Amino acid sequence: MKIARLRADVLAGLTSSFALVPECIAFALVAHLNPLMGLYGAFIICTLTALFGGRPGMISGAAGSMAVVIVALVVQHGVQYLLATVLLGGLIMIAFGVLRLGKLVRMVPHPVMLGFVNGLAIIIALAQLEHFKDGEAWLGGTPLYLMLGLVAMTMAIVYLLPRLTRSVPPALVAILGVGLLVYLTGLPTRTLGDMAHIAGGLPSFALPDIPWTLETLGIIAPYAVLMALVGLLETLLTLNLTDEITQTRGHTNRECVALGAANVVSGAFGGMGGCAMIGQTVINLNSGGRGRLSGVVSGVMILLFVLFLAPLIERIPLAALVGVMFVVSQQTFAWGSLRVLGKVPANDVLVIGAVTLITVFTDLATAVLCGIVIAALNFAWQHARELYADSLTDADGSKLYRLHGTLFFASTTPFLNLFDVASDPEQVTLDCRHLSFVDYSAIAALKTLRERYAKAGKHLRVVHLSERCKQLLKRAGMQQ
């Protein structure tokens, strides 16, 4: 059984490494960098996070979401400033993990998670369309039909092979099979070598050649914070998705520390920054990768491609890799979110749609932040509406209000409107047995209510406060 597990991890790591190469090259080119920087970053980050991270089976590398945020920095200040930014961003990630802030990912609502997954699935699919271009012009005629045919063949192998055997990853068979077909028949289609030549040597240690001054820090700090934020968000959300797929639990803080350390090493050895990559992670998991070995194999294979296997890897047809990524996009998209659109509250539908669209058209950090804000506002609105009161008049003429719900910033106005100060008797009792005080706004609302009764010459007595509520009142200097 152990041998079978090792075999599955090795084959899964090999498969995901083939998918990593074109993505890392493309993201490096987007950031106006040498493709080798993307490959070095992928090797270092993938290997180190696999060895020391908190989520076996997850694949990390030079991610496009992080490449996009540093384009302006590279254009304005150059590559050396980028490497310094990667170093600082890595330190921020380490601090995030050391302070045990990884648990904040629990605050991301499920609709935001669905929107994140759907948005990245769309991005993965749209990114493949660039391979249907020759320069700035779209392919046409025979090259287009050949590309479409090979893509369709690749997808057919990935979908159909599992019905015959599950002993080998279908994506690996599809890439190698289509690649061998193109090589033997001499079909004139674009290959990985047309994107960039990936042959190179070992990455070497060298600190960024920049002036280490406060002025430099002022330049790189905003980019480093944004890079760290985007990388941590994508990593932690991908970790959550991996947990769901594997029905196991990863360690968020450990993953943050490992990712930060990997970025620091990558920046020190001339590599791009990176984070978890949802597409390659899905490929790894679908290929049977569950252990750390799969990530290690994937990372080490990237280095072997650069050092020894570049002539072979550059012959892989882009159509085969595009076909695999189209399948990944289809499998990543949460189709179940479409089926439940009419069954879940409208606000959840809004969150899913908003996060999906914002992810596609802007960036992940903005999308998740907007999704959390929308979900939080809706949560506050719903809880504010659930506050209500039962009232009754006792035999002695006093009045009792028994409140139910949560008193916080969004429900203070409805809370005050529940009381008829002008018409109430001189003695009024507020029963808080079923009322929770959450924040200072709740204390301020209670204080305002007491003042209103006092101005009317009446007395408000508060009873059955919870211990937590008593502590809040005591800190605010209010008597019960």
Side-chain angles (χ1 to χ4, degrees):
M1 184 65 182
K2 188 175 181 180
I3 297 299
R5 178 75 272 148
L6 293 176
R7 176 178 175 276
D9 280 344
V10 170
L11 291 177
L14 179 60
T15 306
S16 57
S17 68
F18 284 127
L20 265 175
V21 173
E23 297 289 298
C24 295
I25 291 175
F27 297 149
L29 295 175
V30 166
H32 301 278
L33 300 172
N34 186 323
L36 282 176
M37 290 186 66
L39 295 174
Y40 288 149
F43 154 62
I44 294 170
I45 294 172
C46 186
T47 304
L48 292 183
T49 54
L51 285 172
F52 305 109
R55 177 63 269 180
M58 194 164 70
I59 301 296
S60 299
S65 57
M66 296 182 71
V68 171
V69 303
I70 47 87
V71 173
L73 174 68
V74 177
V75 172
Q76 295 175 16
H77 300 282
V79 173
Q80 295 301 314
Y81 278 79
L82 165 67
L83 296 177
T85 302
V86 174
L87 287 172
L88 181 57
L91 293 176
I92 295 172
M93 293 177 183
I94 293 174
F96 193 90
V98 170
L99 295 175
R100 306 186 70 80
L101 298 177
K103 59 186 177 183
L104 292 178
V105 73
R106 300 174 190 167
M107 296 180 62
V108 178
H110 189 63
V112 174
M113 183 69 182
L114 291 177
F116 154 78
V117 170
N118 291 347
L120 288 189
I122 294 172
I123 289 175
I124 290 171
L126 293 177
Q128 308 314 309
L129 298 182
E130 291 297 318
H131 299 305
F132 287 86
K133 290 182 177 180
D134 185 4
E136 295 298 322
W138 292 94
L139 295 177
T142 302
L144 175 61
Y145 298 138
L146 181 58
M147 184 79 170
L148 290 173
L150 292 174
V151 168
M153 180 184 298
T154 302
M155 296 176 69
I157 294 174
V158 175
Y159 282 125
L160 299 177
L161 185 62
R163 299 184 180 184
L164 301 176
T165 178
R166 294 185 178 273
S167 59
V168 289
L172 178 61
V173 174
I175 294 171
L176 295 180
V178 173
L180 187 61
L181 173 66
V182 170
Y183 174 72
L184 294 177
T185 59
L187 292 174
T189 187
R190 297 182 69 214
T191 63
L192 189 57
D194 293 325
M195 289 186 67
H197 295 293
I198 65 173
L202 287 169
S204 57
F205 175 81
L207 290 177
D209 184 15
I210 59 170
W212 297 91
T213 63
L214 289 177
E215 182 181 356
T216 300
L217 180 62
I219 294 173
I220 66 174
Y223 292 98
V225 171
L226 184 57
M227 178 181 286
L229 177 62
V230 171
L232 289 169
L233 273 175
E234 185 161 356
T235 295
L236 294 177
L237 293 178
T238 303
L239 186 148
N240 268 4
L241 178 65
T242 306
D243 285 353
E244 291 182 12
I245 294 175
T246 61
Q247 296 297 301
T248 57
R249 184 177 179 182
H251 302 281
T252 55
N253 295 313
R254 179 175 175 178
E255 185 65 33
C256 293
V257 173
L259 179 65
N263 274 275
V264 170
V265 175
S266 179
F269 281 85
M272 283 178 60
C275 62
M277 302 178 71
I278 189 170
Q280 284 66 28
T281 297
V282 170
I283 289 176
N284 186 57
L285 297 176
N286 289 347
S287 300
R290 292 294 185 273
R292 297 186 183 277
L293 182 60
S294 61
V296 173
V297 169
S298 186
V300 171
M301 287 304 301
I302 297 294
L303 181 62
L304 294 180
F305 292 160
V306 172
L307 296 179
F308 309 113
L309 304 176
L312 295 177
I313 299 303
E314 290 176 3
R315 291 186 178 183
I316 294 178
L318 288 176
L321 300 173
V322 169
V324 169
M325 296 310 293
F326 274 147
V327 174
V328 169
S329 175
Q330 178 269 318
Q331 293 176 339
T332 302
F333 194 91
W335 297 100
S337 62
L338 299 181
R339 291 192 293 270
V340 301
L341 289 183
K343 304 176 183 178
V344 298
N347 55 278
D348 287 335
V349 175
L350 173 63
V351 171
I352 294 172
V355 174
T356 299
L357 293 176
I358 297 173
T359 300
V360 173
F361 291 106
T362 57
D363 60 75
L364 175 64
T366 302
V368 172
L369 179 61
C370 289
I372 292 175
V373 169
I374 294 172
L377 290 175
N378 174 71
F379 178 84
W381 174 257
Q382 295 296 334
H383 271 61
R385 294 173 62 187
E386 292 176 358
L387 183 70
Y388 68 96
D390 298 324
S391 61
L392 56 92
T393 303
D394 291 335
D396 60 1
S398 64
K399 190 171 183 178
L400 172 69
Y401 286 92
R402 184 176 291 113
L403 267 72
H404 303 260
T406 304
L407 185 57
F408 64 114
F409 67 91
S411 60
T412 54
T413 299
F415 167 77
L416 294 172
N417 292 336
L418 291 172
F419 298 88
D420 188 0
V421 178
S423 301
D424 282 346
E426 292 186 1
Q427 295 296 326
V428 178
T429 301
L430 172 59
D431 187 345
C432 297
R433 189 194 313 268
H434 304 294
L435 180 67
S436 296
F437 290 72
V438 174
D439 55 10
Y440 183 73
S441 295
I443 304 302
L446 182 58
K447 182 178 181 181
T448 299
L449 183 64
R450 276 186 164 175
E451 290 174 350
R452 288 183 181 181
Y453 277 105
K455 287 181 180 179
K458 302 173 183 181
H459 176 68
L460 176 67
R461 187 168 65 100
V462 182
V463 298
H464 296 143
L465 284 168
S466 67
E467 287 301 320
R468 182 175 181 276
C469 295
K470 290 178 181 178
Q471 289 297 324
L472 286 173
L473 291 172
K474 185 177 180 180
R475 289 179 184 178
M478 293 180 61
Q479 299 296 323
Q480 296 179 36

